[in-house]
Amino acid sequence: MTDQFKEITKVKVLDAMIAEGLTNKEAAEAIGIPDNYLSMIKHPDQWPKCPASAWEKALAWVNSGQTLKEYAVKHGKVRPDPENQPVEELHPPKEKPQKRPSSARRRYEKVIDDYKKEQGITFDPTFPEAEPDTARLKVCLDVEINLLVNGQKVQLT
């Protein structure tokens, strides 16, 4: 890209930012480049440091003939405002498929179900407050504590 095209791109970006009242960050998001690259585009002494991809994206915006806000909406950089869009253009959010439980979770549930069957724990699903009676499951906890006092092992009986 020649310095003439870079100068034209710089002038167009500055004019558009002033006309639309956008900050560096907002204008850079509209074009699809990081805001520090837009700052490099605005300062000729920084042009050699600005990557070619940023210049190409900025030039694509200049060649589109759109305002920064229009370009951002049409190219998916910014979501359109729902207030300005007709209702029929908005799409309902897609429902996410339910995740299958992990294999560890399935094994855990199988162990719990087997335990409930052995113990005869049941619940009535027609009862309004019916929940699996997991609160009655007994848990055995075996804890071993080694107590050292001044380097000597102490046993409590």
Side-chain angles (χ1 to χ4, degrees):
M1 183 177 229
T2 65
D3 285 346
Q4 282 183 320
F5 285 116
K6 291 179 180 180
E7 183 66 31
I8 292 169
T9 304
K10 176 191 109 168
V11 170
K12 295 265 187 183
V13 167
L14 288 172
D15 289 345
M17 287 176 59
I18 292 168
E20 296 180 47
L22 298 177
T23 63
N24 272 6
K25 185 173 183 171
E26 293 168 339
E29 286 177 1
I31 295 172
I33 59 175
D35 54 342
N36 62 326
Y37 290 168
L38 184 65
S39 182
M40 289 178 186
I41 289 172
K42 289 168 55 177
H43 297 94
D45 58 323
Q46 297 291 318
W47 287 352
K49 296 178 184 177
C50 188
S53 61
W55 284 109
E56 289 169 5
K57 288 181 181 181
L59 187 61
W61 165 75
V62 169
N63 291 333
S64 73
Q66 299 170 335
T67 65
L68 285 169
K69 291 179 182 177
E70 289 173 352
Y71 188 81
V73 170
K74 297 229 177 186
H75 294 278
K77 309 289 192 240
V78 175
R79 288 187 169 178
D81 293 333
E83 300 164 355
N84 298 339
Q85 295 294 321
V87 177
E88 57 267 6
E89 288 186 21
L90 297 177
H91 300 288
K94 294 180 181 179
E95 292 183 21
K96 293 182 180 178
Q98 292 182 351
K99 292 183 179 178
R100 291 182 50 202
S102 67
S103 59
R105 177 72 179 182
R106 287 190 299 250
R107 286 193 303 261
Y108 168 76
E109 289 174 351
K110 185 178 182 321
V111 169
I112 296 295
D113 290 340
D114 291 345
Y115 179 78
K116 287 179 184 177
K117 287 178 185 175
E118 289 175 10
Q119 298 297 320
I121 300 172
T122 60
F123 69 98
D124 184 9
T126 59
F127 189 66
E129 297 170 357
E131 291 182 3
D133 196 4
T134 55
R136 293 187 191 177
L137 296 177
K138 293 182 182 178
V139 177
C140 295
L141 182 62
D142 186 18
V143 178
E144 181 179 329
I145 299 174
N146 294 321
L147 182 61
L148 294 175
V149 176
N150 294 331
Q152 300 290 325
K153 187 173 183 179
V154 178
Q155 292 184 340
L156 300 175
T157 56

